[in-house]
Amino acid sequence: PPGTPGCLVLCPGAGTPSVMLLGDSGVGKTCFLLQFKDGAFLSGTFIATVGIDFRNKVVAVDGVKVKLQIWDMAGQERFRSVTHAYYRDAQALLLLYDITSKVSFDNIRAWLTEIHEYAQQDVVLMLLGNKADVNSERMVRTEDGASLAREYGVPFMETSAKTGMNVELAFLAIAR
Ligand SMILES: Nc1nc2c(ncn2[C@@H]2O[C@H](COP(=O)(O)OP(=O)(O)OP(=O)(O)O)[C@@H](O)[C@H]2O)c(=O)[nH]1
């Protein structure tokens, strides 16, 4: 509810709440956003986000309509200096890794260090293990994701931008 620390519901005087998607290039940030926005999955060629992209979506949180502005940040290292400047404007961050990529999981600690350096102190943060639909190529166990999240005191869930599993739930959890 409004007034709660870290709350994203349109509090008086607050601008459009903004959510940022972070994580290595290829973990599925753009697909995650498109699945949430349009309920569709873009398969096939991977087109890396250049710089920053954003979309708006209105969601109903406990019967209250909330407009979320969602920023899709390029995961590639070369865009990092651009994306840093946006961290402080975000009220919530969804940090993604790919459960089929150990590297993307190992890099989560570095992402968290960056977040602590650049984001607002009271930012709402959630860790997401994406691509949970491809269990056959899994490289990161669910328990490992959960224990890393516990270590940093952040909520965690596995998601799939392909099937839509937990996508809406993740946005609703941070919007609440
Ligand atoms: N099977 C499966 N594939 C996915 C999923 N999410 C994304 N992909 C695929 O992974 C690739 C990368 O997805 P993107 O959404 O473009 O990745 P990104 O994190 O936005 O990458 P950058 O824009 O470079 O930061 C694409 O080929 C997608 O089709 C998922 O949940 N399941």
Side-chain angles (χ1 to χ4, degrees):
T4 307
C7 137
L8 284 182
V9 179
L10 293 171
C11 311
T16 301
S18 65
V19 182
M20 266 173 53
L21 296 169
L22 297 172
D24 279 8
S25 182
V27 298
K29 298 179 296 296
T30 302
C31 290
F32 194 86
L33 174 55
L34 293 178
Q35 175 63 252
F36 178 62
K37 178 80 177 73
D38 307 323
F41 178 68
L42 275 183
S43 53
T45 0
F46 164 39
I47 306 165
T49 303
V50 174
I52 300 158
D53 190 12
F54 88 92
R55 326 246 156 175
N56 286 323
K57 175 156 170 150
V58 175
V59 293
V61 180
D62 301 331
V64 180
K65 280 192 177 157
V66 181
K67 182 171 149 195
L68 294 179
Q69 188 173 79
I70 308 156
W71 298 82
D72 177 14
M73 312 305 276
Q76 289 179 19
E77 193 73 43
R78 64 200 171 106
F79 297 117
R80 241 14 100 67
S81 58
V82 185
T83 56
H84 283 162
Y86 286 81
Y87 276 52
R88 66 174 170 275
D89 294 326
Q91 279 119 315
L93 303 173
L94 290 176
L95 177 58
L96 282 77
Y97 64 88
D98 170 356
I99 66 145
T100 71
S101 160
K102 181 77 168 60
V103 174
S104 75
F105 179 70
D106 291 341
N107 284 336
I108 287 295
R109 285 182 192 277
W111 279 106
L112 287 165
T113 303
E114 266 197 17
I115 289 167
H116 286 132
E117 190 167 341
Y118 296 101
Q120 293 181 41
Q121 212 108 63
D122 62 351
V123 75
V124 176
L125 178 62
M126 188 163 199
L127 180 66
L128 303 176
N130 192 41
K131 306 197 189 180
D133 57 287
V134 271
N135 213 17
S136 56
E137 291 165 44
R138 179 188 283 274
M139 296 293 178
V140 183
R141 296 178 310 162
T142 307
E143 307 91 90
D144 295 335
S147 93
L148 182 66
R150 232 182 352 262
E151 187 185 325
Y152 285 87
V154 299
F156 164 74
M157 59 173 94
E158 289 194 342
T159 60
S160 168
K162 186 170 184 174
T163 66
M165 180 184 99
N166 285 345
V167 172
E168 183 131 350
L169 199 63
F171 280 104
L172 289 180
I174 55 158
R176 193 157 266 136

